[in-house]
Amino acid sequence: MGATQDPSIDFLIQMSSPLQLVGLAHPRITVADVVGNKLASDAGSFAAFNAMDQDVQIEEIVSLSPNVTANLLESSSLDLVSGQTRPVAFRLEVHRDFALAVRLEVRYTHKVQSANKTDDVAHTSNFVVSFELRKKSINEVHKLTYVHSGGIVSYSMLRPPSEKALHRATRGQRFPVFINLHGAGLEADDPTFTQSLDGVPDLAAWTLFPSGVTPWSGDDWHDWALRDVESAISALPRWIDRLGWTGLGVEAAKWLVCGHSNGGQGVLYFVSHRPDNIIAAAQVSGYSSIQQYVPYQFWREIDPALSLVIHASLNNYRHELLVPTNMKGIDLMQQHGSADDNVPCFHARRMQQLIFEAGNTSQYVELAGKGHWFDGIMTTAPLRDFYEGKLIQASEGQLMQASEGQVTPESFTLTVASPVESGPKFGFRIEDLSRPGQLGKVHVKTSDDGLSVTTSNVLRFSLDCSAYASDQLTIDGQFVALDRGHHTLRVHLMRRDLRWQAVSSHSLQEPKELGRHKYQSCGMQSILHTKSAITIFIQDASLAYVALQISRNLHQYYGADAVVRRASSSGEGIVGNVITLKCGDQTPGQEKQFPVRVEQAKVIIQDDQNQTTREYEAGGEGISTAFLHPLPQDRIGLVIWGQHKHSLEVAARLAAPTITGAGQPDFVVLTDQCLRKGTGAVLAAGLFDSFWRVSTMSYFT
């Protein structure tokens, strides 16, 4: 790349044996701060590791500190297989005259040989977790914990409205949520982050500094981290009740969002994916999309047809395609330093140009000579005026939003890449696409005569009738009658046989109506749409090391939880999504009619739309495959199969959704050459449509 010297790198690796075989993986404990004489919330978490050569079960947590009680968040024991690290969630309460120094005893069981050496018996051991609680006043920034929608415990930092802000407010008013998204590699409780808004201490808002679960905000403030923010907002009413807050309430559906660097990119994701929640947004030193920030042009050269599939899988993060239309009605401010050598100001300039070309506007401020970060960057004079002005406008009902008293524009467009991750725009929500991998659009014109809707690549959308007075609806030139007496406030419209018709939400639960639930769509990333720990099934102990690597990656990158089980164990009671690892002759056991399956060490893909069956078997190199499949209760499964263990490792490394921005479709067939050639050695890849058929957005060799 033009360098004149040989490249070199120096690094230091420190390795040490653990002092105990089962214990605390790292010293960071997630617990809420003490506000007054109460914990701001009762959820807590720490990471535990098991270095024994056998599995253990964490049975209970008890407090060793007076006037402090603790117990596991779940009533059942927690399995920790040999070599695994996973989060342990617990509940913590403090009582009168408690001490800030807390010690918890974690009791676990494992098998030991009996005295007569004829059988194994359960033996109970323990380790101690010690930490210091922090005490804060109710007006200080303090830590709030809660249960993430994925079943783990996460945290955000909270700054309630100041006394001055409350004094200026009107009686009965509720304040919106001001969300500040941090940059990459920063913990939410870092003073650099929590003090970044000290220049605006009296905003008429509940100020939230979310963690996004990890210092990397999980998936770059995309779906996993966005759901973390939504979980934090849902925890605010509980905080109000728990601490007996007597100030004004929270308007949980109204957000003013700002962010720096990676958080600035997250602002664009929030604007494009939750437009009806956003009252205003400020992007500071943010990049326009991961595709622009990361040099994708240095990827391996591949067949353009395969490149189409990979990039289609990344459409949901291509803010340049989504923000310009979806931000209509949202005031967006972009601030960037002209001397920024981390994220060049090209990103902000380009986004402003695209917004202008879409017929919308944003406010752009370029700071001469300023770099990527400096003290006070989040509270410059333009930003202070923006925050305060938009919050005043929101309190007076002057901003567009899909709620009571909304101001709806005469026309607007909603653009969606992944319906499951996208919210409504002025009450319209795209629920399903006709052709996956291609953007779906709904263009709406409002008039006294009713609503005129034009769609592109949309199979189904819904409409909040409470946002519109007229029952006159025309879709793609076809009149559709809306009978409000027979529908809930949200009406679902579906295209059947080239005609649109209103359908009930109940009928959409029938498999014949919609074979693929929305939570099962959006590529292999949909495995993270889990309601609890992800279960990883293995056929036998020889595959445990692959399962452990996936478990570690999920925990490292997302803070997610995973349970490793033998395939022979019962699947009853599993409420989360499932990853199944198989190798060699271990057939995944998919239904015969499913379009992707493994039989006799061959990967078979049934392409009904082209009336073609394709078979892939090992040549000189091993092959492997990974593909999604449906599970009951709208859950999703991911099968990862390899011809041999090495091939399985390749598929688990490249297909498991642990790295954001990689572009992972619904199914892929790999060879072992992928370790050298990357995507260039892929044999097949593609997407399923809404009925779990292989779509035309697929690639085959």
Side-chain angles (χ1 to χ4, degrees), residues 595 604-615 694 700:
I604 301 173
I605 300 178
Q606 183 68 40
D607 184 358
D608 290 336
Q609 299 195 53
N610 292 320
Q611 298 181 342
T612 303
T613 299
R614 295 176 170 85
E615 296 185 359
V694 173
F700 302 102

Side-chain angles (χ1 to χ4, degrees), residues 271-276 319-330 354-355 357-360 400 408-417 422-430 439-446 452-458 461 468:
V271 166
S272 61
H273 288 71
R274 294 294 186 274
D276 270 358
H319 305 318
E320 296 90 349
L321 300 175
L322 305 175
V323 171
T325 59
N326 293 357
M327 60 85 61
K328 186 162 190 174
I330 298 173
L354 294 172
I355 290 171
E357 291 173 357
N360 297 313
M400 294 181 179
T408 305
E410 292 183 356
S411 66
F412 61 91
T413 299
L414 173 62
T415 306
V416 164
S422 304
K425 176 72 175 176
F426 294 115
F428 279 79
R429 179 168 187 164
I430 296 176
L439 297 177
K441 297 184 179 182
V442 168
H443 181 69
V444 182
K445 291 184 178 180
T446 64
S452 175
V453 178
T454 304
T455 70
S456 173
N457 192 41
V458 175
F461 69 92
Y468 302 92

Side-chain angles (χ1 to χ4, degrees), residues 297-317:
Q297 63 266 32
F298 296 135
W299 280 15
R300 282 251 183 192
E301 292 77 12
I302 59 176
D303 189 319
L306 175 57
S307 178
L308 176 66
V309 175
I310 300 302
H311 284 279
S313 303
L314 287 166
N315 273 348
N316 196 42
Y317 314 132

Side-chain angles (χ1 to χ4, degrees), residues 471-483:
D471 290 334
Q472 303 299 310
L473 175 63
T474 302
I475 310 175
D476 296 332
Q478 173 198 335
F479 175 76
V480 178
L482 293 181
D483 186 354

